[in-house]
Amino acid sequence: MQRFLIIKTGGTFPDYAGEHDDFEHWTARAMGLGPEQWDCVDVRVNEPLPDPDRYVGSVITGSHDMVTDEFPWIAATGEWICQAVAASHPLLGICFGHQLMAQALGGEAGYHPDGPEIGTVPVILSPEAKDDPLFADLPEIFPAHVTHSQCALTLPPESVLLAQSDHEPHQAFRVGRRAWGVQFHPEFDAPATRHYVRMQAEKLEAMGLNAATVESGVTETPASTGLLKRFAALCLTR
């Protein structure tokens, strides 16, 4: 059976995971995968990353850690990313995974100069997205869930910018033919995003934002969520 790899670089809040599972489960469900179709490697506890050729495609999750943290597992995962992209292995990085891909492949990740982005925001496709196999069928503007303090400050050389938002100029990019990074969270649903807003209410208020207003703007994001199932289909038809 063809299997997928989910690289776990972090998890949600423990109380929420206890009731709703964790990032890897959200990702697998949004991809339409059954439990027998995917493996998870938790790189934070030094589980070894396998040869990408063993899998039809891989997804790198988000994390509450920062790409600029000097943890050995971050550097090791960055090296694996370079090997996977060089081998044209289908790869999708989400939030932290997006930032780590950008940094590992020659760009730069760090704190967003204008502060965090959180809630449900409109994501705007670039003209290049019309010819991208993953993004081509998405609406020109679609809602997506976001929660991040760091971002891809600069994209890797020869990458293709696919989407942006008012706050974030690099919401999505592609490197080569089959490696994508997305700053937004296609695996999140509206209840998870509302929980993240509530957990970060003090941070939002310190930024001059009203947490209740941000939470009230959270909606479901079918176009964004559908990206994961589309990625799985592309992996299976390569």
Side-chain angles (χ1 to χ4, degrees):
M1 175 178 291
Q2 295 175 308
R3 298 177 69 85
F4 291 83
L5 175 65
I6 298 178
I7 300 172
K8 183 180 175 72
T9 65
T12 189
F13 301 103
D15 61 334
Y16 198 80
E19 296 184 11
H20 303 282
D21 293 326
D22 214 337
F23 288 165
E24 65 272 27
H25 307 99
W26 304 357
T27 301
R29 282 198 291 265
M31 293 173 74
L33 304 180
E36 76 287 352
Q37 292 179 282
W38 60 283
D39 296 326
C40 179
V41 169
D42 189 341
V43 290
R44 301 170 304 166
V45 294
N46 298 317
E47 291 182 359
L49 282 162
D51 186 333
D53 286 343
R54 290 174 49 189
Y55 296 90
V56 294
S58 301
V59 179
I60 307 170
T61 73
S63 178
H64 293 181
D65 291 320
M66 300 295 161
V67 170
T68 54
D69 292 336
E70 296 182 355
F71 299 139
W73 64 264
I74 294 178
T77 307
E79 292 175 2
W80 184 92
I81 288 169
C82 292
Q83 296 169 4
V85 171
S88 296
H89 176 71
L91 181 62
L92 176 65
I94 298 172
C95 195
F96 178 97
H98 158 93
Q99 299 159 19
L100 183 55
M101 284 179 63
Q103 180 165 284
L105 297 169
E108 180 186 4
Y111 285 95
H112 195 292
D114 295 328
E117 182 182 43
I118 184 169
T120 306
V121 303
V123 171
I124 306 162
L125 293 184
S126 70
E128 290 76 13
K130 296 177 182 177
D131 297 320
D132 183 82
L134 186 58
F135 280 77
D137 291 340
L138 287 176
E140 184 176 346
I141 301 176
F142 61 91
H145 301 309
V146 294
T147 174
H148 65 105
S149 296
Q150 292 198 330
C151 64
L153 295 170
T154 59
L155 296 181
E158 301 182 10
S159 61
V160 178
L161 177 66
L162 298 172
Q164 60 185 11
S165 64
D166 288 344
H167 180 89
E168 173 53 56
H170 304 138
Q171 280 288 351
F173 71 94
R174 187 188 75 245
V175 172
R177 297 187 304 110
R178 291 183 174 270
W180 291 270
V182 294
Q183 181 59 69
F184 57 89
H185 281 276
E187 82 284 18
F188 273 40
D189 59 15
T193 304
R194 293 188 187 104
H195 187 74
Y196 269 75
V197 172
R198 290 192 292 270
M199 292 296 289
Q200 299 180 76
E202 289 187 10
K203 181 190 293 187
L204 290 170
E205 299 293 341
M207 294 167 56
L209 299 174
N210 184 283
T213 300
V214 175
E215 184 176 349
S216 69
V218 173
T219 64
E220 291 296 350
T221 59
S224 167
T225 301
L227 201 73
L228 280 164
K229 189 167 285 187
R230 184 172 176 83
F231 175 73
L234 283 173
C235 294
L236 292 170
T237 57
R238 61 174 176 156

